[in-house]
Amino acid sequence: MLNQLTISELAAKLGQREVSSREAMQDCLDQIQRVDTTIHAFLSHDAADALAQADAADQQLASGTTHAQKPLLGIPIAIKDVLAVKNQPLNCGSKILGKFISPYDATAIEKLKAAGAIVFGRLNMDEFAMGSSTENSAFGVTRNPWDTTRIPGGSSGGSAAAVAAQECLASLGTDTGGSIRQPAALCGCVGLKPTYGRISRYGLVAFASSLDQIGPFTKDVRDTATLLEVMSGVDHRDSTSVPQPVPNYAAALNGEIRGLKLGLPREYMIGGMNPEVSAAVQAAVKQLEKLGAEIVEISLPHTDYAVATYYIVATAEASANLARFDGIRYGARVEGADPTDLYCRTRGAGFGAEVKRRIILGTYVLSSGYYDAFYLRAQKVRTLIRQDFLKAFEKVDAIVTPTTPTPAFKIGEKSDDPLQMYLSDIFTISCNLAGIPGISIPCGFTTNPKLPVGLQLLGKPFGEETILKIAHAYEQSTGWHREKAALK
Ligand code: GLN
């Protein structure tokens, strides 16, 4: 069952010519067939194309190409339905794109392919990445592999569920306010949101351009380091990508965290936390201390304003970004009496309720008379939130928090209450507003039902090496990441 392996384990076996990439790909396809009618992580996948890519990788392996040259050679990786992969469907979990097929590869995808990956499958998501449960997809819910009556988190729920259900070796998602870290936590995988500007957003359909980042879902921290290194770097097609050198992230995974200072934000000890989640996170902090880290209490005084600030900035940007889906240029069209009628009918039929809610909110906060009171003020508060972090990082090397206040909730439990849903991101949103990197790693389980709990580590801008090093040391000393969903 090669689908059960990590990237580094499969790469070792492929390198030894012990197994072939075709066998690994076939095991993933078999697993999809076995479990995905229940899990519904995949919106679509082209088995023949995936196997053809695997055969091409096997040929390269046979002719001597190594994983030192192409770190992802022959590794099956599945993609959130918001990233452009040439000649594959691109729907963003929405009906409005109709039968749209991507004419080109996103930069991150181009880099995966250049590193030899098999890029296959479209993973379910909340429509246009708006949501925390994947229930906002136009194509049905995805189920949590640990308990199929529960949500996998969102918006990259398909990406997390596919990795947790062993349907691929790793996947890509995007994170605007927590959409990688939150589902990673709820499905028991590793998920990283890099520093804003670390990975090019070219070919990522924009939700909120100043917050969006692409990142990996993997089964361990080493694989995350590998994928991050492959995808990082400046790109002339995304002017917000940053010309910061790309380190060898895996080299940072040396287990040495002695003397590192970890900040515990006072403001994150909120009431209403699930007690088992609290206990798991507290135990994780103790474990980090045992490994030699020094725990320091810190304050991030503007934390209370993060959710409100986010829902102004993100909706404002979304209302502008989604204006392009008008029935003229892309995807589906509903004809109308005149152009305005056509736009209204197309957008009325094509967008789901949450997307409409965000466009209306975003248009409102940008409208004249309200711009200063909402949008401009939110931008100022955003700066204060970023300054909170920069100040804290003068004293500590990284910050440690729970990823989510509760484990995965039941399908339908919060769908009628958008505010409750928005609150599931309280621990992840500030990181995007500040533009800093954050990772979620498994740190235990609740009992009865057994559901994964995530630990979040936040780092300095471009401080991915430090949070990966800490995450890896923790992971190796506990082994939570090795537990697999039973998938009854
Ligand atoms: N859950 C948040 C939202 O609904 C974050 C989504 C995301 O990160 N894409 O906006």
Side-chain angles (χ1 to χ4, degrees):
M1 297 275 275
L2 303 173
N3 55 308
Q4 307 265 351
L5 300 178
T6 63
I7 294 177
S8 57
E9 288 166 350
L10 177 58
K13 287 187 191 293
L14 290 171
Q16 295 295 317
R17 319 287 341 272
E18 227 177 273
V19 299
S20 68
S21 173
R22 172 174 266 267
E23 289 168 307
M25 190 62 242
Q26 190 60 56
D27 284 351
C28 291
L29 294 170
D30 290 348
Q31 181 73 347
I32 292 170
Q33 189 129 55
R34 201 173 310 131
V35 303
D36 212 56
T37 35
T38 308
I39 301 297
H40 191 45
F42 284 82
L43 294 176
S44 66
H45 68 284
D46 180 342
D49 175 66
L51 289 168
Q53 291 185 56
D55 288 342
D58 282 328
Q59 268 172 20
Q60 291 188 51
L61 284 158
S63 62
T65 308
T66 66
H67 286 96
Q69 295 162 313
K70 292 193 171 188
L72 302 174
L73 189 55
I75 309 286
I77 297 179
I79 310 296
K80 185 179 183 181
D81 190 30
V82 71
L83 288 157
V85 178
K86 191 172 177 176
N87 297 331
Q88 291 188 16
L90 173 62
N91 291 97
C92 306
S94 181
K95 280 188 293 192
I96 205 159
L97 275 138
K99 295 191 187 323
F100 187 77
I101 302 288
S102 300
Y104 65 86
D105 279 327
T107 300
I109 298 296
E110 218 173 73
K111 287 181 175 234
L112 288 189
K113 288 183 175 173
I118 302 171
V119 174
F120 84 104
R122 307 297 301 170
L123 295 168
N124 200 14
M125 57 183 281
D126 286 300
E127 186 175 7
F128 285 102
M130 299 173 186
S132 308
S133 66
T134 314
E135 292 166 298
N136 296 336
S137 168
F139 307 111
V141 297
T142 295
R143 293 172 183 276
N144 191 313
W146 293 89
D147 177 346
T148 53
T149 65
R150 290 171 192 268
I151 56 97
S155 63
S156 315
S159 305
V163 170
Q166 314 292 333
E167 297 171 272
C168 52
L169 281 266
S171 65
L172 293 195
T174 58
D175 189 314
T176 305
S179 280
I180 292 175
R181 291 157 289 152
Q182 186 256 24
L186 303 189
C187 288
C189 354
V190 177
L192 171 83
K193 183 204 87 78
T195 306
Y196 186 76
R198 178 72 294 186
I199 295 177
S200 167
R201 290 180 297 110
Y202 179 75
L204 157 63
V205 178
F207 160 15
S209 314
S210 77
L211 300 161
D212 299 340
Q213 269 294 291
I214 299 167
F217 286 85
T218 62
K219 299 175 194 175
D220 70 6
V221 174
R222 182 168 297 281
D223 286 358
T224 285
T226 303
L227 282 176
L228 178 65
E229 186 172 338
V230 165
M231 292 191 289
S232 290
V234 70
D235 175 16
H236 70 275
R237 293 168 298 188
D238 172 7
S239 61
T240 65
S241 66
V242 177
Q244 179 87 8
V246 179
N248 176 347
Y249 289 109
L253 311 182
N254 57 11
E256 285 164 25
I257 66 163
R258 205 154 280 285
L260 284 182
K261 287 202 175 70
L262 300 185
L264 263 184
R266 201 174 303 145
E267 292 78 8
Y268 283 47
M269 328 260 178
I270 54 162
M273 285 271 299
N274 174 290
E276 288 187 284
V277 172
S278 277
V281 171
Q282 276 165 20
V285 171
K286 286 250 150 55
Q287 178 64 16
L288 288 165
E289 221 169 356
K290 223 171 97 193
L291 294 171
E294 187 188 328
I295 308 296
V296 187
E297 196 183 272
I298 57 162
S299 173
L300 300 166
H302 296 91
T303 297
D304 267 1
Y305 306 105
V307 173
T309 304
Y310 170 84
Y311 277 95
I312 293 173
V313 174
T315 56
E317 294 184 20
S319 72
N321 277 325
L322 270 59
R324 73 193 67 179
F325 302 102
D326 55 7
I328 304 290
R329 283 166 288 192
Y330 314 95
R333 172 182 302 175
V334 182
E335 297 296 344
D338 53 50
T340 305
D341 191 39
L342 182 151
Y343 302 152
C344 292
R345 286 172 189 271
T346 300
R347 289 165 68 83
F351 288 137
E354 183 61 26
V355 172
K356 287 178 185 161
R357 179 156 39 235
R358 306 268 181 128
I359 292 172
I360 292 168
L361 272 171
T363 308
Y364 178 75
V365 300
L366 288 174
S367 58
S368 75
Y370 295 100
Y371 181 94
D372 288 359
F374 292 107
Y375 184 69
L376 196 62
R377 181 162 307 176
Q379 292 290 31
K380 290 177 180 171
V381 178
R382 180 177 184 176
T383 301
L384 295 174
I385 289 170
R386 178 168 165 89
Q387 285 170 352
D388 280 356
F389 280 102
L390 299 183
K391 228 176 258 156
F393 285 128
E394 288 170 6
K395 284 191 282 190
V396 297
D397 300 288
I399 293 172
V400 51
T401 82
T403 309
T404 62
T406 66
F409 45 89
K410 292 259 186 193
I411 291 170
E413 194 178 317
K414 299 191 184 178
S415 357
D416 298 331
D417 190 347
L419 278 182
Q420 271 309 311
M421 191 71 93
Y422 295 174
L423 286 175
S424 48
D425 305 314
I426 39 176
F427 297 137
T428 49
I429 268 177
S430 302
C431 163
N432 302 72
L433 290 168
I436 59 175
I439 190 169
S440 180
I441 53 172
C443 75
F445 292 88
T446 62
T447 47
N448 227 345
K450 181 178 179 183
L451 298 169
V453 178
L455 182 75
Q456 178 175 241
L457 293 160
L458 302 173
K460 298 177 184 177
F462 296 98
E464 279 87 351
E465 280 172 290
T466 306
I467 54 174
L468 286 166
K469 181 205 290 274
I470 299 165
H472 177 255
Y474 172 81
E475 167 192 275
Q476 293 303 310
S477 74
T478 59
W480 294 118
H481 66 293
R482 282 188 213 102
E483 306 232 3
K484 292 186 164 79
L487 280 168
K488 287 173 266 319

